[in-house]
Amino acid sequence: MKQFDIKIVPFEAVHNFRDMGGYKSRDGRAVKNGLIYRSAALGKMTKADKELFETLGVKTIFDYRDNHEAQNNPNPVFPYAKYIQIPAKGNHAFEMPTNTGGKDFYKVVSPEMFRDFYAQMPFNNGSFKKLIATIQHPENLGLVHHCAVGKDRTGIGSALILLALDVPEETIMEDYLDTNVHLRPLVERMAQTIQQDYNDRELQQFYALMSAREDYLQAAFNAIDNRYGSKTSFLEQEFGLTIEKRKQLQDHCLI
């Protein structure tokens, strides 16, 4: 039984945009609403979407996409928002599918490669280091963080934020897996456009890569534990989140 309501913000042309508030931390407090949002790309916003966005109190737009992705589908401009764009993909050789030249992504990237991608993303990642530094300054919140579909890079970013706020891993996993519900219409539309060029095995692989799968995020959690022994040590050594700094962050973000 879920302990929280997922607060989807009903945009016309932005997928998977949700408020990360409401999740319970281990001490019984809950993440405040309206502080941190997760999303897919914002670039196709309609006029009504922009008007809705302006009611959310967003001060920072944090973009995990590669430079080409961001140029191909630029963020809308909101004069009051600070923009941060730092690629979170890390050293993986494959092009993201939203990049020019990424059209064969689903044919050449296997679920095993994707698990490896998740397992390396949390470490020595300049994008996530900047993210965790940014959320420690209350004046930067509300913040929306996003990639292309709001699943993989945003999934790891969301997990790191919620770990820092001492939200249990099973709740973090539920937040991640809920992406499947919110991306289903987009995934089915994409499948329609590619299926004539894909054989059955390639189409299965497409669905595997477009899914939020428990084994993907678990690969990241396992890698953290294997390397650092605990999430607390990981947060302190990767991000400088000492016990005191985590307490300050939690006191601001939890209610």
Side-chain angles (χ1 to χ4, degrees), residues 142-190:
L143 173 143
V144 56
H145 61 122
H146 77 88
C147 52
V149 298
K151 176 173 77 77
D152 306 309
R153 293 164 286 184
T154 304
I156 293 288
S158 298
L160 296 177
I161 290 168
L162 294 175
L163 282 174
L165 296 177
D166 209 26
V167 172
E169 283 173 44
E170 53 269 27
T171 304
I172 298 172
M173 184 65 78
E174 285 188 33
D175 172 68
Y176 170 70
L177 295 175
D178 277 323
T179 287
N180 289 323
V181 176
H182 308 303
L183 285 185
R184 192 167 292 136
L186 173 66
V187 171
E188 290 306 326
R189 276 206 305 280
M190 290 172 70

Side-chain angles (χ1 to χ4, degrees), residues 6-214:
I6 301 152
K7 283 164 285 302
I8 276 284
V9 182
F11 289 107
E12 294 174 341
V14 179
H15 297 280
N16 201 18
F17 192 111
R18 41 199 160 116
D19 189 336
M20 290 176 64
Y23 295 133
K24 288 274 174 64
S25 69
R26 290 178 202 279
D27 67 4
R29 291 183 291 175
V31 181
K32 292 177 187 172
N33 293 325
L35 276 191
I36 302 169
Y37 301 92
R38 56 175 297 170
S39 180
L42 308 175
K44 302 290 194 285
M45 276 190 178
T46 63
K47 183 170 180 289
D49 286 344
K50 290 177 182 175
E51 289 170 359
L52 175 56
F53 189 85
E54 288 176 344
T55 69
L56 298 178
V58 171
K59 297 175 188 167
T60 306
I61 295 173
F62 198 106
D63 187 347
Y64 299 120
R65 295 175 301 166
D66 295 350
N67 296 336
H68 281 110
E69 290 178 282
Q71 287 159 12
N72 293 339
N73 184 18
N75 281 311
V77 175
F78 296 99
Y80 51 82
K82 173 162 71 171
Y83 288 78
I84 301 169
Q85 186 242 323
I86 304 174
K89 180 165 69 75
N91 304 322
H92 268 66
F94 55 72
E95 286 282 333
M96 297 309 283
T98 42
N99 263 337
T100 313
K103 62 180 172 30
D104 289 331
F105 177 86
Y106 304 107
K107 294 186 178 185
V108 299
V109 178
S110 68
E112 292 71 32
M113 289 166 68
F114 226 47
R115 275 200 296 275
D116 290 344
F117 173 41
Y118 270 75
Q120 66 88 32
M121 263 199 292
F123 307 107
N124 196 28
N125 191 315
S127 187
F128 296 133
K129 286 179 189 293
K130 181 67 172 177
L131 173 76
I132 298 300
T134 299
I135 65 169
Q136 290 179 72
H137 297 278
E139 66 273 16
N140 294 328
L141 305 175
L143 173 143
V144 56
H145 61 122
H146 77 88
C147 52
V149 298
K151 176 173 77 77
D152 306 309
R153 293 164 286 184
T154 304
I156 293 288
S158 298
L160 296 177
I161 290 168
L162 294 175
L163 282 174
L165 296 177
D166 209 26
V167 172
E169 283 173 44
E170 53 269 27
T171 304
I172 298 172
M173 184 65 78
E174 285 188 33
D175 172 68
Y176 170 70
L177 295 175
D178 277 323
T179 287
N180 289 323
V181 176
H182 308 303
L183 285 185
R184 192 167 292 136
L186 173 66
V187 171
E188 290 306 326
R189 276 206 305 280
M190 290 172 70
Q192 292 293 321
T193 65
I194 64 169
Q195 61 186 8
Q196 64 204 35
D197 301 318
Y198 277 55
N199 63 37
D200 286 348
R201 185 194 62 78
E202 290 167 345
L203 205 55
Q204 275 186 322
Q205 189 153 285
F206 162 78
Y207 279 113
L209 297 180
M210 283 303 296
S211 296
R213 290 187 3 174
E214 189 165 342

